[in-house]
Amino acid sequence: MTGEVAVLGAGMHPWGKWGRGFVEYGVAAARAALADAGLEWRDVGSIVGADTVRGGYPGYVAGATFAKALGWQGARVASVYAACASGAQAIAAARAQILAELTDVVLVVGADAAPKGFFRPAGGDRPDDPDWLRFRVLGATNPTYFGLYARRRMAVHGDTVEDFAQVKVKNAALGALNPYARYRKRVSAEEVAASAVVADPLRLLDICATSDGGAALVLSSMEFARRRGVVEPVRIRAVSTVTPTYPNTVLDLPDIATDSAAAVEPTAGTFRASIARAAYEEAGVGPEDLSVAEVYDLSTALELQWYEDLGLCGEGEGAKLLREGATAPGGRIPVNTSGGLASFGEAVPAQAIAQVCELTWQLRGDAGARQVEHARVGITANQGLFGHGSAVIAVR
């Protein structure tokens, strides 16, 4: 086990479509996190920004962009890009600096002003980029992949469109209780079924939107937290950022083909399962210890897959777990108490940080009407392009 770091502050800018720049959202979230921690910007020894991807230069150097907006004060700076796992990679970088005793306090910030519609690669010809290739060669948008994955679950495990709809129903009910969520309206299974087909079998309400938003965390050494009088802070105990293992026999975005398994036996588990396994091993806990989980629900079907990848149930049992109510409020392991991406939409660099914000509030007992009773251990999970996966385990 490695050392722990304290979460002294968590802050967010509400998700939505606000028509302003990502810097404004990130600065608002950063100031909220600093206020939550009872610290000033001048108290921060380092800032790590989770990068957005735009044609404009500032999005690629988010750490310095946010530092300038907050006011140059000499802090160390780093910028991290790992697609949807950018926020967790930023947390990992901040944690490493603290454990290396380079600084006592690190501010982690991610924010985005997302385009309308689905995400697509930036312009230009890049035939060595699998993300570019799947659009140019296959015309396979993200919703296409989500639909194919849902079809696979239906064929292999017997999931139904009604199961997928119930994921949205659950998450929308929780998002309705979250002041930072973009969509704060409960929906019924009938409303999901009546929404437009996007990529059969998935409807519009099965797939998350693209959004503007921001999230930030203030992390510190345990000694600094004690000096500040924070006796029992939420602690980050593990951050998993593993890559796939050859042969990788399950298609994941943006790949359009798997590694060959003709001469090599497939690995015992999938890439996504290995993300959680590494986090559990580092933290010294298992799925049976969890109180709450925040997972990357790009689509309703993918949330069911994460249940299995996190070890909350056996392979093919995700829908059964949902039907039993185990992942709903009051269940054995509530999942996406924030409302998930179903209620927020994607603000790519911010979403993994936002997941840890939700864990922080749950473990503190500050989640209001969404609160899980006696929450002590939480996990996040998400996956970015090009073999970027992440899971964060927080405890109290």
Side-chain angles (χ1 to χ4, degrees):
M1 290 177 62
T2 59
E4 298 176 335
V5 298
V7 183
L8 291 189
M12 293 176 66
H13 182 288
W15 259 235
K17 282 291 186 181
W18 307 114
R20 299 192 292 276
F22 78 95
V23 181
E24 182 175 336
Y25 310 139
V27 168
R31 288 174 174 156
L34 287 166
D36 187 42
L39 297 176
E40 301 291 335
W41 163 229
R42 66 176 65 89
D43 299 320
V44 172
S46 178
I47 181 169
V48 183
D51 288 350
T52 185
V53 172
R54 294 290 175 271
Y57 194 63
Y60 292 97
V61 287
T65 300
F66 293 132
K68 180 181 178 182
L70 289 163
W72 296 125
Q73 49 89 312
R76 291 174 178 268
V77 65
S79 297
V80 175
Y81 179 69
C84 295
S86 296
Q89 292 273 0
I91 291 168
R95 178 173 175 251
Q97 289 184 11
I98 294 168
L99 295 179
E101 300 182 354
L102 297 176
T103 185
D104 274 332
V105 182
V106 183
L107 175 64
V108 181
V109 191
D112 204 0
K116 291 183 178 180
F118 53 75
F119 288 112
R120 54 190 179 276
D125 290 339
R126 297 189 310 281
D128 57 349
D129 175 354
D131 197 32
W132 180 89
L133 280 172
R134 72 181 171 97
F135 275 79
R136 180 62 64 89
V137 177
L138 299 182
T141 64
N142 289 9
T144 300
Y145 170 80
F146 305 152
L148 289 170
Y149 211 99
R151 277 287 170 201
R152 183 181 186 276
R153 286 199 61 85
M154 295 172 77
V156 176
H157 301 310
D159 292 6
T160 68
V161 292
E162 290 78 19
D163 292 324
F164 303 151
Q166 286 303 321
V167 175
K168 174 66 175 183
V169 171
K170 171 183 71 71
N171 290 350
L174 287 159
L177 303 174
N178 193 332
Y180 297 106
R182 176 179 178 180
Y183 301 106
R184 301 190 60 196
K185 178 184 176 183
R186 294 173 179 266
V187 300
S188 66
E190 291 74 22
E191 288 175 299
V192 178
S195 63
V197 174
V198 175
D200 189 68
L202 299 179
R203 272 60 180 167
L204 183 64
L205 294 183
D206 283 302
I207 297 172
C208 76
T210 60
S211 289
D212 299 356
L217 295 165
V218 176
L219 307 182
S220 81
S221 66
M222 295 301 296
E223 177 57 32
F224 182 89
R226 283 190 286 269
R227 291 201 305 268
R228 298 287 300 187
V230 184
V231 178
E232 192 181 2
V234 172
R235 288 112 56 204
I236 292 178
R237 182 173 285 180
V239 183
S240 168
T241 57
V242 297
T243 54
T245 301
Y246 176 84
N248 190 20
T249 58
V250 176
L251 279 173
D252 285 314
L253 284 175
D255 296 314
I256 56 177
T258 59
D259 293 339
S260 173
V264 181
E265 287 294 320
T267 54
T270 65
F271 169 46
R272 276 195 290 267
S274 75
I275 298 168
R277 184 168 62 250
Y280 290 140
E281 289 174 357
E282 182 181 344
V285 301
E288 67 280 1
D289 299 308
L290 296 175
S291 308
V292 63
E294 285 287 303
V295 306
Y296 184 53
D297 59 318
L298 290 169
S299 78
T300 50
L302 286 176
E303 175 166 325
L304 297 180
Q305 184 63 48
W306 278 114
Y307 296 173
E308 298 164 25
D309 294 332
L310 292 182
L312 307 182
C313 59
E315 183 179 355
E317 297 178 351
K320 179 175 180 288
L321 196 71
L322 176 77
R323 294 172 199 148
E324 294 171 349
T327 60
R332 173 170 62 84
I333 173 63
V335 176
N336 281 342
T337 56
S338 67
L341 294 180
S343 300
F344 277 74
E346 284 199 271
V348 170
Q351 53 211 37
I353 301 171
Q355 288 180 324
V356 179
C357 288
E358 177 67 15
L359 290 193
T360 299
W361 293 323
Q362 287 288 347
L363 298 179
R364 284 182 184 169
D366 291 340
R370 308 186 312 280
Q371 184 63 50
V372 174
E373 288 190 20
H374 312 300
R376 305 298 293 179
V377 181
I379 191 170
T380 72
N382 70 67
Q383 183 179 0
L385 299 180
F386 313 115
H388 283 120
S390 73
V392 177
I393 292 179
V395 302
R396 192 173 189 191

